[in-house]
Amino acid sequence: MLPARAKVNLWLKVVGRRPDGFHLLDSLVAFTDLADEIEVAPASDLSLQIVGPGAASLEGDSDNLVLKAARLLAGRAGVAPRAALRLTKRIPVAAGLGGGSADAAAALLALIELWRIAMPQEELFDLAATLGADVPMCLVGRPALASGIGERLAPAPALPACAILLVNPGVALPTPAVFGARQGSFSAALPIGDGWQDLGDFARDLARRGNDLTEAAISLRPEVADVLARLQRSDGAAHAAMSGSGATCFALYGTIEEAQRAASLLPASWWWHAGRLV
């Protein structure tokens, strides 16, 4: 069983656009203790069972990213695509948390072991990138500075210890729609220092950078503005922002208890997770 951890963009700057239409990014990516789980077992064909609290959101998806990853890996390695995969789904879908990419990355790692594939890391990352820009960073699974369309990764400075509260108002926001709604000029990537002294120093730097997709997301889903306002007003919140293309937002706190108290005041219909960065 392998965890597929939720990804959080602690900042996200849109710094340009390639001729093929893909946007160029500058982002600090981290991972949380919220995770889906992937299990694999030998089988006579390829199948996927989806269970867990988020399973209903994937009903009718006969060719999701996990199956695409399995078929792509089998084709590249020259093996028969035979495995029974089981996905326990906890990360909300289309929520800016990279759940599908994390699932695909975990499936690749699990199937490499099951099928006993010897694949150089560079080839694996190239393969992962064909599934989506977020899949390579989910393969890394640790804090990283992402550039290009998200496929260029460099180790991030150590993050200060903190708790994180993830909140989604129960709406989906497809990434292409958010980028399509974005207006205005591109940002400049800001230089990175040696690291952050503490949570306060970290929060000030995050606030200076922000998320360039926030206004576009709010134009499509005004609920995002309500989530951000509640998080920013919550006791103990050092910083609050939207993750990725939304609609999930996050706030950082000094302790889990502060994050849980803030969560207890949210509307009952909203999804949330109080945990830690890993």
Side-chain angles (χ1 to χ4, degrees):
M1 181 185 300
L2 284 181
R5 299 193 183 279
K7 169 190 69 71
V8 181
N9 295 90
L10 295 172
W11 75 66
L12 193 155
K13 309 299 290 181
V14 182
V15 300
R17 188 172 184 172
R18 298 194 317 194
D20 61 6
F22 284 95
H23 287 81
L24 301 172
L25 309 176
D26 169 62
S27 185
L28 172 60
V29 176
F31 294 84
T32 79
D33 57 359
L34 171 67
D36 295 340
E37 292 176 347
I38 288 282
E39 300 172 75
V40 298
S44 59
D45 57 6
L46 184 65
S47 64
L48 173 64
Q49 178 188 19
I50 305 175
V51 299
S57 62
L58 294 177
E59 284 184 359
D61 184 5
S62 60
D63 192 31
N64 72 16
L65 214 52
V66 169
L67 289 174
K68 288 181 180 178
R71 295 189 182 105
L72 184 64
L73 177 64
R76 181 73 65 91
V79 301
R82 295 172 180 167
L85 297 103
R86 177 183 170 96
L87 168 63
T88 301
K89 192 67 185 168
R90 299 187 182 94
I91 302 172
V93 174
L97 295 174
S101 297
D103 297 341
L108 288 174
L109 294 174
L111 290 170
I112 282 174
E113 182 175 349
L114 178 69
W115 293 337
R116 299 179 181 177
I117 295 171
M119 180 174 289
Q121 186 178 66
E122 183 176 348
E123 184 178 356
L124 174 60
F125 274 72
D126 286 344
L127 182 149
T130 66
L131 293 164
D134 283 354
V135 181
M137 67 180 68
C138 291
L139 277 176
V140 173
R142 57 182 179 269
L145 299 168
S147 58
I149 61 171
E151 86 288 6
R152 298 178 188 167
L153 303 171
L159 306 186
C162 62
I164 187 168
L165 174 60
L166 303 170
V167 181
N168 188 289
V171 299
L173 259 179
T175 296
V178 179
F179 274 100
R182 181 191 165 278
Q183 299 179 350
S185 59
F186 295 116
S187 296
L190 300 175
I192 303 295
D194 295 331
W196 302 278
Q197 296 181 353
D198 53 28
L199 178 55
D201 185 32
F202 188 45
R204 286 187 290 274
D205 196 28
L206 295 182
R208 184 166 65 103
R209 298 169 188 273
N211 184 332
D212 286 350
L213 296 178
T214 303
E215 290 185 7
I218 290 172
S219 73
L220 298 173
R221 290 292 191 180
E223 300 95 327
V224 172
D226 189 16
V227 175
L228 285 172
R230 286 175 179 266
L231 290 176
Q232 290 161 353
R233 292 195 305 264
S234 63
D235 290 341
H239 176 70
M242 187 179 76
S243 175
S245 57
T248 301
C249 300
F250 69 90
L252 301 180
Y253 302 84
T255 67
I256 289 276
E257 290 74 20
E258 288 175 317
Q260 291 172 335
R261 281 197 295 271
S264 70
L265 301 176
L266 297 173
S269 61
W270 289 5
W271 172 92
W272 60 268
H273 172 81
R276 292 193 179 279
L277 299 177
V278 296

